[in-house]
Amino acid sequence: MATIEHSAILKASPERVFALLERVEDFADYSDLIQAIEPLGEDRYRWHVHAVGMDWTFDVAITEARAPEVLAWESLDGVHNRGCYRLTPVAGGTEVALTLTYAIRNRLLEKAVNRAARPLVGKVSRQILERVAARL
């Protein structure tokens, strides 16, 4: 499994940041690569992503939502991934730290994705946090 980490400081309280992050279906508004997110009920969502020249669809379940500190998820199918936002109060706002792990079972595809994944996830994470900050 590969791990990607990214963090940023947003000028808002953890409660305000968490309130936006927990609205998972709105993530499609926060990144150009996320085509759509369908709520499936029971804290499950179907993500439609266009990345590395391909369309990806996978279902995700929220595994932990502890306001205003942690929002974690894990994929149920498709590209196996799990991630977590951790929110920590800091002077002037909130540090938001993302940890994302993923595994791809096809070796050829894995090489291509691994080459693109770090900058891609970094871009998506930056877009999400910048757009969340703009909404705050």
Short mmCIF file of all heavy atoms in Angstrom, two decimals, residues 16-76:
data_model
loop_
_atom_site.label_atom_id
_atom_site.label_comp_id
_atom_site.label_asym_id
_atom_site.label_seq_id
_atom_site.Cartn_x
_atom_site.Cartn_y
_atom_site.Cartn_z
N ARG A 16 -16.03 24.61 12.42
CA ARG A 16 -16.47 25.11 11.11
C ARG A 16 -15.86 24.29 9.98
O ARG A 16 -16.54 23.99 9.00
CB ARG A 16 -16.10 26.58 10.96
CG ARG A 16 -16.98 27.50 11.82
CD ARG A 16 -16.72 28.96 11.58
NE ARG A 16 -17.03 29.32 10.20
CZ ARG A 16 -16.42 30.31 9.54
NH1 ARG A 16 -15.50 31.03 10.13
NH2 ARG A 16 -16.75 30.59 8.31
N VAL A 17 -14.58 23.94 10.10
CA VAL A 17 -13.92 23.14 9.06
C VAL A 17 -14.58 21.76 8.98
O VAL A 17 -14.92 21.28 7.91
CB VAL A 17 -12.41 23.01 9.32
CG1 VAL A 17 -11.76 22.07 8.31
CG2 VAL A 17 -11.74 24.39 9.29
N PHE A 18 -14.78 21.13 10.13
CA PHE A 18 -15.38 19.80 10.16
C PHE A 18 -16.78 19.81 9.56
O PHE A 18 -17.15 18.90 8.82
CB PHE A 18 -15.42 19.25 11.59
CG PHE A 18 -15.83 17.80 11.65
CD1 PHE A 18 -14.87 16.81 11.57
CD2 PHE A 18 -17.17 17.44 11.76
CE1 PHE A 18 -15.24 15.46 11.62
CE2 PHE A 18 -17.54 16.11 11.79
CZ PHE A 18 -16.57 15.12 11.72
N ALA A 19 -17.55 20.86 9.84
CA ALA A 19 -18.92 20.95 9.32
C ALA A 19 -18.93 20.90 7.79
O ALA A 19 -19.85 20.32 7.19
CB ALA A 19 -19.59 22.23 9.82
N LEU A 20 -17.91 21.47 7.14
CA LEU A 20 -17.85 21.39 5.67
C LEU A 20 -17.31 20.04 5.20
O LEU A 20 -17.81 19.48 4.24
CB LEU A 20 -16.99 22.53 5.12
CG LEU A 20 -17.61 23.91 5.19
CD1 LEU A 20 -16.66 24.95 4.62
CD2 LEU A 20 -18.93 23.96 4.44
N LEU A 21 -16.29 19.52 5.88
CA LEU A 21 -15.70 18.25 5.46
C LEU A 21 -16.68 17.08 5.59
O LEU A 21 -16.64 16.14 4.80
CB LEU A 21 -14.43 17.95 6.25
CG LEU A 21 -13.22 18.84 5.96
CD1 LEU A 21 -12.07 18.47 6.88
CD2 LEU A 21 -12.81 18.76 4.50
N GLU A 22 -17.56 17.12 6.58
CA GLU A 22 -18.46 15.99 6.77
C GLU A 22 -19.58 15.96 5.72
O GLU A 22 -20.29 14.97 5.61
CB GLU A 22 -19.04 15.98 8.18
CG GLU A 22 -20.08 17.03 8.46
CD GLU A 22 -20.67 16.92 9.85
OE1 GLU A 22 -20.57 15.84 10.47
OE2 GLU A 22 -21.22 17.92 10.33
N ARG A 23 -19.72 17.01 4.93
CA ARG A 23 -20.68 17.02 3.83
C ARG A 23 -20.00 16.44 2.60
O ARG A 23 -19.63 17.15 1.65
CB ARG A 23 -21.19 18.44 3.60
CG ARG A 23 -22.02 18.91 4.80
CD ARG A 23 -22.40 20.34 4.78
NE ARG A 23 -22.80 20.83 3.47
CZ ARG A 23 -22.99 22.11 3.19
NH1 ARG A 23 -22.81 23.02 4.12
NH2 ARG A 23 -23.36 22.48 1.99
N VAL A 24 -19.80 15.13 2.63
CA VAL A 24 -18.99 14.41 1.64
C VAL A 24 -19.46 14.67 0.22
O VAL A 24 -18.65 14.86 -0.69
CB VAL A 24 -18.97 12.90 1.96
CG1 VAL A 24 -18.23 12.12 0.89
CG2 VAL A 24 -18.36 12.65 3.33
N GLU A 25 -20.77 14.71 -0.01
CA GLU A 25 -21.27 14.89 -1.37
C GLU A 25 -20.83 16.23 -1.97
O GLU A 25 -20.78 16.39 -3.19
CB GLU A 25 -22.79 14.74 -1.44
CG GLU A 25 -23.56 15.69 -0.57
CD GLU A 25 -23.74 15.24 0.87
OE1 GLU A 25 -23.12 14.27 1.31
OE2 GLU A 25 -24.53 15.91 1.57
N ASP A 26 -20.44 17.20 -1.14
CA ASP A 26 -19.97 18.49 -1.63
C ASP A 26 -18.53 18.45 -2.14
O ASP A 26 -18.08 19.41 -2.76
CB ASP A 26 -20.09 19.56 -0.54
CG ASP A 26 -21.53 19.94 -0.25
OD1 ASP A 26 -22.43 19.53 -1.02
OD2 ASP A 26 -21.76 20.65 0.75
N PHE A 27 -17.80 17.38 -1.91
CA PHE A 27 -16.42 17.29 -2.36
C PHE A 27 -16.32 17.44 -3.88
O PHE A 27 -15.29 17.87 -4.39
CB PHE A 27 -15.77 15.98 -1.91
CG PHE A 27 -15.18 16.03 -0.53
CD1 PHE A 27 -15.93 16.46 0.55
CD2 PHE A 27 -13.88 15.64 -0.30
CE1 PHE A 27 -15.41 16.51 1.82
CE2 PHE A 27 -13.33 15.68 0.97
CZ PHE A 27 -14.10 16.12 2.04
N ALA A 28 -17.35 17.09 -4.61
CA ALA A 28 -17.35 17.26 -6.06
C ALA A 28 -17.21 18.74 -6.43
O ALA A 28 -16.69 19.06 -7.50
CB ALA A 28 -18.61 16.66 -6.67
N ASP A 29 -17.64 19.63 -5.55
CA ASP A 29 -17.50 21.07 -5.78
C ASP A 29 -16.09 21.56 -5.46
O ASP A 29 -15.71 22.66 -5.85
CB ASP A 29 -18.47 21.87 -4.91
CG ASP A 29 -19.92 21.58 -5.23
OD1 ASP A 29 -20.22 21.16 -6.37
OD2 ASP A 29 -20.77 21.78 -4.33
N TYR A 30 -15.32 20.75 -4.74
CA TYR A 30 -14.02 21.18 -4.25
C TYR A 30 -12.85 20.76 -5.12
O TYR A 30 -11.73 21.18 -4.88
CB TYR A 30 -13.78 20.65 -2.83
CG TYR A 30 -14.81 21.08 -1.80
CD1 TYR A 30 -15.07 20.27 -0.72
CD2 TYR A 30 -15.50 22.27 -1.91
CE1 TYR A 30 -16.00 20.65 0.25
CE2 TYR A 30 -16.43 22.65 -0.96
CZ TYR A 30 -16.67 21.83 0.12
OH TYR A 30 -17.59 22.21 1.06
N SER A 31 -13.06 19.88 -6.10
CA SER A 31 -11.95 19.42 -6.93
C SER A 31 -12.41 19.21 -8.36
O SER A 31 -13.49 18.67 -8.60
CB SER A 31 -11.37 18.11 -6.39
OG SER A 31 -10.40 17.62 -7.30
N ASP A 32 -11.56 19.60 -9.30
CA ASP A 32 -11.86 19.42 -10.73
C ASP A 32 -11.85 17.95 -11.13
O ASP A 32 -12.44 17.59 -12.15
CB ASP A 32 -10.84 20.18 -11.57
CG ASP A 32 -10.84 21.67 -11.27
OD1 ASP A 32 -11.87 22.19 -10.81
OD2 ASP A 32 -9.79 22.30 -11.48
N LEU A 33 -11.17 17.11 -10.39
CA LEU A 33 -11.05 15.70 -10.76
C LEU A 33 -12.23 14.85 -10.28
O LEU A 33 -12.46 13.77 -10.80
CB LEU A 33 -9.75 15.12 -10.21
CG LEU A 33 -8.47 15.80 -10.70
CD1 LEU A 33 -7.26 15.22 -10.02
CD2 LEU A 33 -8.35 15.70 -12.20
N ILE A 34 -12.95 15.33 -9.29
CA ILE A 34 -14.10 14.59 -8.77
C ILE A 34 -15.31 14.98 -9.60
O ILE A 34 -15.78 16.12 -9.55
CB ILE A 34 -14.34 14.89 -7.27
CG1 ILE A 34 -13.09 14.54 -6.45
CG2 ILE A 34 -15.56 14.11 -6.77
CD1 ILE A 34 -13.14 15.03 -5.02
N GLN A 35 -15.80 14.03 -10.40
CA GLN A 35 -16.92 14.29 -11.30
C GLN A 35 -18.24 14.39 -10.54
O GLN A 35 -19.05 15.25 -10.82
CB GLN A 35 -17.02 13.17 -12.35
CG GLN A 35 -15.74 12.95 -13.12
CD GLN A 35 -15.50 14.04 -14.15
OE1 GLN A 35 -16.31 14.22 -15.03
NE2 GLN A 35 -14.41 14.76 -14.02
N ALA A 36 -18.46 13.46 -9.61
CA ALA A 36 -19.70 13.44 -8.84
C ALA A 36 -19.52 12.53 -7.64
O ALA A 36 -18.67 11.64 -7.64
CB ALA A 36 -20.85 12.92 -9.70
N ILE A 37 -20.36 12.76 -6.62
CA ILE A 37 -20.41 11.88 -5.45
C ILE A 37 -21.88 11.66 -5.15
O ILE A 37 -22.62 12.60 -4.90
CB ILE A 37 -19.69 12.49 -4.24
CG1 ILE A 37 -18.21 12.72 -4.57
CG2 ILE A 37 -19.85 11.58 -3.02
CD1 ILE A 37 -17.44 13.44 -3.49
N GLU A 38 -22.28 10.39 -5.21
CA GLU A 38 -23.68 10.02 -4.95
C GLU A 38 -23.83 9.50 -3.53
O GLU A 38 -23.18 8.52 -3.17
CB GLU A 38 -24.11 8.89 -5.88
CG GLU A 38 -24.04 9.16 -7.34
CD GLU A 38 -24.31 7.86 -8.11
OE1 GLU A 38 -25.36 7.22 -7.87
OE2 GLU A 38 -23.44 7.50 -8.92
N PRO A 39 -24.70 10.10 -2.72
CA PRO A 39 -24.99 9.53 -1.40
C PRO A 39 -25.77 8.22 -1.59
O PRO A 39 -26.72 8.17 -2.35
CB PRO A 39 -25.86 10.58 -0.73
CG PRO A 39 -25.74 11.81 -1.55
CD PRO A 39 -25.37 11.38 -2.92
N LEU A 40 -25.33 7.16 -0.92
CA LEU A 40 -25.99 5.85 -1.02
C LEU A 40 -26.76 5.51 0.25
O LEU A 40 -27.40 4.47 0.33
CB LEU A 40 -24.95 4.76 -1.30
CG LEU A 40 -24.11 4.94 -2.56
CD1 LEU A 40 -23.04 3.86 -2.64
CD2 LEU A 40 -24.99 4.94 -3.80
N GLY A 41 -26.69 6.38 1.26
CA GLY A 41 -27.33 6.11 2.54
C GLY A 41 -26.38 5.41 3.49
O GLY A 41 -25.37 4.83 3.08
N GLU A 42 -26.68 5.48 4.77
CA GLU A 42 -25.89 4.83 5.82
C GLU A 42 -24.40 5.19 5.75
O GLU A 42 -23.53 4.32 5.87
CB GLU A 42 -26.07 3.31 5.76
CG GLU A 42 -27.50 2.88 5.97
CD GLU A 42 -27.68 1.36 5.90
OE1 GLU A 42 -26.68 0.63 5.97
OE2 GLU A 42 -28.83 0.94 5.79
N ASP A 43 -24.10 6.48 5.56
CA ASP A 43 -22.72 6.97 5.49
C ASP A 43 -21.90 6.31 4.39
O ASP A 43 -20.70 6.07 4.56
CB ASP A 43 -22.02 6.82 6.85
CG ASP A 43 -22.46 7.87 7.84
OD1 ASP A 43 -22.91 8.95 7.40
OD2 ASP A 43 -22.37 7.62 9.05
N ARG A 44 -22.55 6.00 3.26
CA ARG A 44 -21.86 5.42 2.11
C ARG A 44 -22.07 6.33 0.91
O ARG A 44 -23.13 6.92 0.74
CB ARG A 44 -22.38 4.01 1.81
CG ARG A 44 -22.06 3.05 2.93
CD ARG A 44 -22.79 1.73 2.75
NE ARG A 44 -22.59 0.92 3.92
CZ ARG A 44 -21.84 -0.17 3.94
NH1 ARG A 44 -21.24 -0.58 2.86
NH2 ARG A 44 -21.71 -0.85 5.06
N TYR A 45 -21.01 6.39 0.07
CA TYR A 45 -21.03 7.29 -1.07
C TYR A 45 -20.38 6.61 -2.27
O TYR A 45 -19.41 5.86 -2.11
CB TYR A 45 -20.25 8.58 -0.75
CG TYR A 45 -20.82 9.32 0.43
CD1 TYR A 45 -20.43 9.01 1.73
CD2 TYR A 45 -21.78 10.31 0.24
CE1 TYR A 45 -20.97 9.68 2.81
CE2 TYR A 45 -22.33 10.98 1.33
CZ TYR A 45 -21.92 10.66 2.61
OH TYR A 45 -22.46 11.32 3.68
N ARG A 46 -20.87 6.92 -3.46
CA ARG A 46 -20.25 6.44 -4.70
C ARG A 46 -19.52 7.63 -5.33
O ARG A 46 -20.12 8.63 -5.67
CB ARG A 46 -21.29 5.88 -5.66
CG ARG A 46 -20.64 5.39 -6.97
CD ARG A 46 -21.55 4.43 -7.71
NE ARG A 46 -21.72 3.23 -6.91
CZ ARG A 46 -22.90 2.61 -6.74
NH1 ARG A 46 -23.98 3.05 -7.35
NH2 ARG A 46 -22.97 1.53 -5.99
N TRP A 47 -18.19 7.48 -5.45
CA TRP A 47 -17.35 8.53 -6.02
C TRP A 47 -17.12 8.25 -7.50
O TRP A 47 -16.86 7.11 -7.89
CB TRP A 47 -15.99 8.55 -5.32
CG TRP A 47 -16.02 9.10 -3.93
CD1 TRP A 47 -16.73 8.62 -2.87
CD2 TRP A 47 -15.29 10.21 -3.44
NE1 TRP A 47 -16.49 9.37 -1.75
CE2 TRP A 47 -15.61 10.35 -2.07
CE3 TRP A 47 -14.40 11.09 -4.03
CZ2 TRP A 47 -15.06 11.36 -1.29
CZ3 TRP A 47 -13.85 12.09 -3.24
CH2 TRP A 47 -14.18 12.21 -1.89
N HIS A 48 -17.19 9.30 -8.32
CA HIS A 48 -16.86 9.24 -9.75
C HIS A 48 -15.72 10.23 -9.96
O HIS A 48 -15.90 11.44 -9.78
CB HIS A 48 -18.07 9.63 -10.59
CG HIS A 48 -19.25 8.75 -10.38
ND1 HIS A 48 -19.44 7.58 -11.07
CD2 HIS A 48 -20.30 8.86 -9.52
CE1 HIS A 48 -20.57 7.02 -10.66
NE2 HIS A 48 -21.10 7.77 -9.73
N VAL A 49 -14.54 9.70 -10.30
CA VAL A 49 -13.33 10.50 -10.42
C VAL A 49 -12.74 10.29 -11.80
O VAL A 49 -12.74 9.17 -12.33
CB VAL A 49 -12.31 10.08 -9.33
CG1 VAL A 49 -11.00 10.82 -9.47
CG2 VAL A 49 -12.90 10.27 -7.94
N HIS A 50 -12.22 11.37 -12.39
CA HIS A 50 -11.49 11.26 -13.65
C HIS A 50 -10.04 11.64 -13.35
O HIS A 50 -9.76 12.79 -13.01
CB HIS A 50 -12.08 12.16 -14.73
CG HIS A 50 -11.37 12.01 -16.03
ND1 HIS A 50 -11.63 10.96 -16.88
CD2 HIS A 50 -10.40 12.74 -16.61
CE1 HIS A 50 -10.86 11.06 -17.94
NE2 HIS A 50 -10.10 12.13 -17.80
N ALA A 51 -9.13 10.67 -13.44
CA ALA A 51 -7.72 10.90 -13.12
C ALA A 51 -6.85 10.01 -13.99
O ALA A 51 -7.28 8.92 -14.39
CB ALA A 51 -7.46 10.62 -11.65
N VAL A 52 -5.63 10.46 -14.24
CA VAL A 52 -4.67 9.76 -15.10
C VAL A 52 -5.32 9.25 -16.38
O VAL A 52 -5.06 8.13 -16.81
CB VAL A 52 -3.87 8.66 -14.36
CG1 VAL A 52 -2.92 9.26 -13.36
CG2 VAL A 52 -4.75 7.62 -13.70
N GLY A 53 -6.18 10.07 -16.96
CA GLY A 53 -6.81 9.73 -18.23
C GLY A 53 -7.87 8.66 -18.16
O GLY A 53 -8.30 8.13 -19.19
N MET A 54 -8.29 8.30 -16.98
CA MET A 54 -9.28 7.22 -16.82
C MET A 54 -10.40 7.67 -15.89
O MET A 54 -10.22 8.55 -15.06
CB MET A 54 -8.61 5.97 -16.23
CG MET A 54 -7.53 5.38 -17.09
SD MET A 54 -6.72 3.98 -16.29
CE MET A 54 -8.06 2.83 -16.19
N ASP A 55 -11.57 7.03 -16.06
CA ASP A 55 -12.67 7.24 -15.14
C ASP A 55 -12.63 6.15 -14.08
O ASP A 55 -12.49 4.97 -14.41
CB ASP A 55 -14.01 7.19 -15.89
CG ASP A 55 -14.18 8.40 -16.80
OD1 ASP A 55 -13.79 9.50 -16.40
OD2 ASP A 55 -14.71 8.23 -17.91
N TRP A 56 -12.76 6.54 -12.82
CA TRP A 56 -12.72 5.63 -11.69
C TRP A 56 -14.02 5.78 -10.92
O TRP A 56 -14.48 6.89 -10.67
CB TRP A 56 -11.56 5.96 -10.76
CG TRP A 56 -10.23 6.02 -11.41
CD1 TRP A 56 -9.71 7.06 -12.13
CD2 TRP A 56 -9.24 5.01 -11.41
NE1 TRP A 56 -8.45 6.75 -12.57
CE2 TRP A 56 -8.13 5.50 -12.15
CE3 TRP A 56 -9.16 3.74 -10.85
CZ2 TRP A 56 -6.97 4.76 -12.34
CZ3 TRP A 56 -8.00 3.01 -11.04
CH2 TRP A 56 -6.93 3.51 -11.77
N THR A 57 -14.61 4.66 -10.52
CA THR A 57 -15.80 4.69 -9.67
C THR A 57 -15.54 3.75 -8.51
O THR A 57 -15.06 2.63 -8.71
CB THR A 57 -17.05 4.22 -10.45
OG1 THR A 57 -17.24 5.10 -11.56
CG2 THR A 57 -18.28 4.25 -9.57
N PHE A 58 -15.84 4.22 -7.31
CA PHE A 58 -15.68 3.36 -6.15
C PHE A 58 -16.62 3.83 -5.06
O PHE A 58 -16.98 4.99 -4.98
CB PHE A 58 -14.23 3.31 -5.65
CG PHE A 58 -13.57 4.65 -5.48
CD1 PHE A 58 -13.61 5.29 -4.25
CD2 PHE A 58 -12.92 5.26 -6.53
CE1 PHE A 58 -13.00 6.52 -4.09
CE2 PHE A 58 -12.31 6.49 -6.37
CZ PHE A 58 -12.36 7.13 -5.15
N ASP A 59 -17.05 2.87 -4.25
CA ASP A 59 -17.93 3.17 -3.12
C ASP A 59 -17.09 3.30 -1.86
O ASP A 59 -16.13 2.55 -1.67
CB ASP A 59 -18.97 2.06 -2.93
CG ASP A 59 -19.98 2.02 -4.06
OD1 ASP A 59 -19.96 2.93 -4.92
OD2 ASP A 59 -20.80 1.09 -4.08
N VAL A 60 -17.47 4.26 -1.03
CA VAL A 60 -16.73 4.57 0.18
C VAL A 60 -17.70 4.61 1.36
O VAL A 60 -18.83 5.07 1.22
CB VAL A 60 -16.04 5.95 0.02
CG1 VAL A 60 -15.47 6.44 1.34
CG2 VAL A 60 -14.97 5.88 -1.04
N ALA A 61 -17.24 4.12 2.50
CA ALA A 61 -18.02 4.21 3.75
C ALA A 61 -17.25 5.07 4.74
O ALA A 61 -16.03 4.93 4.88
CB ALA A 61 -18.25 2.82 4.33
N ILE A 62 -17.97 5.95 5.41
CA ILE A 62 -17.37 6.72 6.50
C ILE A 62 -17.19 5.74 7.67
O ILE A 62 -18.14 5.09 8.09
CB ILE A 62 -18.27 7.89 6.93
CG1 ILE A 62 -18.52 8.84 5.76
CG2 ILE A 62 -17.68 8.63 8.13
CD1 ILE A 62 -17.28 9.46 5.16
N THR A 63 -15.96 5.62 8.15
CA THR A 63 -15.68 4.67 9.23
C THR A 63 -15.56 5.34 10.59
O THR A 63 -15.68 4.69 11.62
CB THR A 63 -14.37 3.90 8.94
OG1 THR A 63 -13.30 4.84 8.76
CG2 THR A 63 -14.52 3.02 7.69
N GLU A 64 -15.31 6.66 10.57
CA GLU A 64 -15.26 7.40 11.83
C GLU A 64 -15.56 8.86 11.54
O GLU A 64 -14.98 9.46 10.64
CB GLU A 64 -13.87 7.28 12.47
CG GLU A 64 -13.76 7.96 13.81
CD GLU A 64 -12.40 7.77 14.49
OE1 GLU A 64 -11.47 7.23 13.86
OE2 GLU A 64 -12.28 8.19 15.65
N ALA A 65 -16.49 9.39 12.30
CA ALA A 65 -16.81 10.82 12.21
C ALA A 65 -16.94 11.32 13.64
O ALA A 65 -17.97 11.18 14.27
CB ALA A 65 -18.10 11.04 11.44
N ARG A 66 -15.84 11.85 14.14
CA ARG A 66 -15.79 12.34 15.52
C ARG A 66 -15.53 13.85 15.47
O ARG A 66 -14.39 14.31 15.39
CB ARG A 66 -14.68 11.62 16.28
CG ARG A 66 -14.68 11.89 17.76
CD ARG A 66 -13.77 10.95 18.55
NE ARG A 66 -12.75 10.27 17.80
CZ ARG A 66 -11.45 10.64 17.76
NH1 ARG A 66 -11.03 11.69 18.41
NH2 ARG A 66 -10.57 9.95 17.05
N ALA A 67 -16.62 14.61 15.47
CA ALA A 67 -16.52 16.07 15.36
C ALA A 67 -15.89 16.65 16.62
O ALA A 67 -16.20 16.20 17.71
CB ALA A 67 -17.91 16.65 15.13
N PRO A 68 -15.04 17.65 16.47
CA PRO A 68 -14.50 18.21 15.24
C PRO A 68 -13.07 17.74 14.97
O PRO A 68 -12.26 18.49 14.47
CB PRO A 68 -14.53 19.71 15.52
CG PRO A 68 -14.12 19.78 16.98
CD PRO A 68 -14.75 18.54 17.60
N GLU A 69 -12.77 16.48 15.28
CA GLU A 69 -11.39 16.03 15.25
C GLU A 69 -11.02 15.10 14.10
O GLU A 69 -9.93 15.20 13.55
CB GLU A 69 -11.05 15.32 16.57
CG GLU A 69 -11.20 16.22 17.78
CD GLU A 69 -11.26 15.44 19.07
OE1 GLU A 69 -11.37 14.20 19.03
OE2 GLU A 69 -11.20 16.07 20.13
N VAL A 70 -11.90 14.14 13.76
CA VAL A 70 -11.53 13.08 12.82
C VAL A 70 -12.68 12.77 11.87
O VAL A 70 -13.83 12.64 12.30
CB VAL A 70 -11.16 11.77 13.57
CG1 VAL A 70 -10.86 10.64 12.60
CG2 VAL A 70 -9.99 12.00 14.50
N LEU A 71 -12.33 12.65 10.58
CA LEU A 71 -13.26 12.13 9.58
C LEU A 71 -12.48 11.10 8.79
O LEU A 71 -11.49 11.43 8.14
CB LEU A 71 -13.79 13.24 8.67
CG LEU A 71 -14.78 12.77 7.60
CD1 LEU A 71 -16.07 12.27 8.26
CD2 LEU A 71 -15.08 13.89 6.62
N ALA A 72 -12.90 9.82 8.87
CA ALA A 72 -12.16 8.74 8.22
C ALA A 72 -13.09 7.94 7.34
O ALA A 72 -14.29 7.85 7.59
CB ALA A 72 -11.51 7.84 9.27
N TRP A 73 -12.52 7.32 6.30
CA TRP A 73 -13.30 6.53 5.35
C TRP A 73 -12.47 5.37 4.83
O TRP A 73 -11.26 5.33 4.97
CB TRP A 73 -13.76 7.40 4.18
CG TRP A 73 -12.61 7.92 3.36
CD1 TRP A 73 -12.03 7.34 2.27
CD2 TRP A 73 -11.86 9.11 3.61
NE1 TRP A 73 -10.99 8.10 1.82
CE2 TRP A 73 -10.86 9.19 2.61
CE3 TRP A 73 -11.96 10.12 4.56
CZ2 TRP A 73 -9.96 10.25 2.56
CZ3 TRP A 73 -11.05 11.16 4.49
CH2 TRP A 73 -10.07 11.22 3.50
N GLU A 74 -13.18 4.43 4.20
CA GLU A 74 -12.54 3.29 3.55
C GLU A 74 -13.38 2.89 2.35
O GLU A 74 -14.60 2.93 2.39
CB GLU A 74 -12.42 2.11 4.51
CG GLU A 74 -11.65 0.96 3.91
CD GLU A 74 -11.28 -0.10 4.93
OE1 GLU A 74 -11.67 0.02 6.11
OE2 GLU A 74 -10.59 -1.06 4.54
N SER A 75 -12.70 2.52 1.26
CA SER A 75 -13.42 2.10 0.07
C SER A 75 -14.03 0.72 0.29
O SER A 75 -13.51 -0.10 1.04
CB SER A 75 -12.50 2.08 -1.15
OG SER A 75 -11.48 1.11 -0.97
N LEU A 76 -15.15 0.49 -0.37
CA LEU A 76 -15.84 -0.79 -0.29
C LEU A 76 -15.60 -1.62 -1.53
O LEU A 76 -15.79 -2.84 -1.52
CB LEU A 76 -17.34 -0.57 -0.10
CG LEU A 76 -17.72 0.26 1.13
CD1 LEU A 76 -19.20 0.59 1.11
CD2 LEU A 76 -17.34 -0.49 2.40
#
